[in-house]
Amino acid sequence: MMKTIRIIRIALSLAILLVTAMLVWLGHSDTLAQYQLTLNLSSIVLGVLITWLIVTLLVGRVYCSSVCPIGTLQDIAAWLDKRLRNGGKGYYHFVFANDRIRYLTLLLVAVSMTADERYSGYVPRLLDPSRLFADCLNMHGLLGASIFGLLGSGVAIIILVGILWMAYRGGGRTFCNIICPVGTALGVVSRASLYHFDIDTDLCTGCNLCVQECKAQCINPNDHTIDLSRCVMCTNCAASCPNRAIKFTNTRKRLSTPLMQPTA
Ligand code: SF4
Ligand code: SF4
Ligand code: SF4
């Protein structure tokens, strides 16, 4: 069941990536604001923002697993590396959340957006995944219609290549969980999501397959917990678990025995 859901999710994310790219190529970038989250306050459709916040509160960061083009591109880069380096098997390990960097970045973006309108767009433009994607495919800019358009697209391409290189070199969703302000904001909400993945410690044998497949590197094998603020709802863990120990549930289970408590 989870394997089927995972295949559907991957197909959906690739389809959305293609549609998004086509919209940008055809010059309909404005349409993106009807389903994508952007940091450009002037173009935020409030309904879109509220919708995604509600969805995230209900089922976690599905926006990051299926809708954001930068997320899907990172997955493609990570998948390529897994195929080439490790025969398609995951090689991730758990890392603790870097709250200092991610919340400072979010604060920096929030503060910069309140600055004078002549300057308020610069920082968000560099870190806004939706606009980064659009800028990279902006033919008008790439063809050098204006020096600013060319510069904007050039900088965006350099940043995107850096993000994809990080994912390709084993970073998985590092950009999503340390730098992206949209991901950090969604993570604040998904921490309390109603439905989420949870490990049943009665069924778990500690094989670590889920940890190795978790590109968000947010499954702690010591205490069998999933950091919901970083989980991007990719379903990789549940699909890879041989014992069906990872459930999509609305219960918040406590650790089953004191022996499962993390060691200091
Ligand atoms: S964290 Fe940011 S870049 Fe990553 S998938 Fe979510 S919105 Fe996109
Ligand atoms: S893959 Fe399943 S059995 Fe293995 S560590 Fe993860 S939850 Fe436990
Ligand atoms: S915990 Fe599972 S669903 Fe969440 S990011 Fe990791 S592998 Fe994907």
Side-chain angles (χ1 to χ4, degrees), residues 198-201 203-212 219 221 224 237-238 240-246:
D198 188 44
I199 299 174
D200 184 337
T201 47
L203 296 176
C204 176
T205 56
C207 69
N208 262 12
L209 275 177
C210 57
V211 179
Q212 289 160 9
I219 301 178
H224 298 73
C237 53
S240 66
C241 178
N243 303 313
R244 298 186 180 179
I246 301 185

Side-chain angles (χ1 to χ4, degrees), residues 63-219:
Y63 177 82
C64 294
S65 67
S66 306
V67 180
C68 174
I70 300 293
T72 304
L73 287 175
Q74 286 176 87
D75 288 351
I76 294 171
W79 174 80
L80 269 178
D81 186 45
K82 268 199 318 187
R83 297 290 319 166
L84 295 175
R85 268 210 295 160
N86 213 24
K89 293 198 180 105
Y91 46 62
Y92 298 112
H93 58 272
F94 170 74
V95 292
F96 284 99
N98 197 328
D99 287 343
R100 193 174 298 176
I101 294 184
R102 61 177 171 161
Y103 291 128
L104 270 178
T105 307
L106 183 61
L107 186 68
L108 175 71
V109 170
V111 169
S112 74
M113 286 167 77
T114 62
D116 184 284
E117 66 179 19
R118 281 171 299 172
Y119 312 109
S120 62
Y122 290 121
V123 175
R125 184 154 197 158
L126 294 176
L127 297 175
D128 182 334
S130 183
R131 293 180 70 195
L132 199 60
F133 183 74
D135 281 349
C136 285
L137 297 181
N138 176 4
M139 286 298 141
H140 197 62
L142 282 174
L143 294 176
S146 78
I147 188 69
F148 293 111
L150 188 61
L151 269 178
S153 289
V155 170
I157 288 172
I158 290 170
I159 293 173
L160 181 60
V161 168
I163 294 170
L164 298 186
W165 181 251
M166 197 155 52
Y168 180 75
R169 296 305 296 167
R173 291 295 194 99
T174 302
F175 172 78
C176 294
N177 283 328
I178 294 187
I179 300 167
C180 177
V182 176
T184 302
L186 290 178
V188 171
V189 178
S190 68
R191 210 181 267 280
S193 64
L194 183 61
Y195 281 88
H196 53 89
F197 285 110
D198 188 44
I199 299 174
D200 184 337
T201 47
D202 294 332
L203 296 176
C204 176
T205 56
C207 69
N208 262 12
L209 275 177
C210 57
V211 179
Q212 289 160 9
E213 292 297 335
C214 180
K215 59 200 174 193
Q217 298 169 290
C218 67
I219 301 178

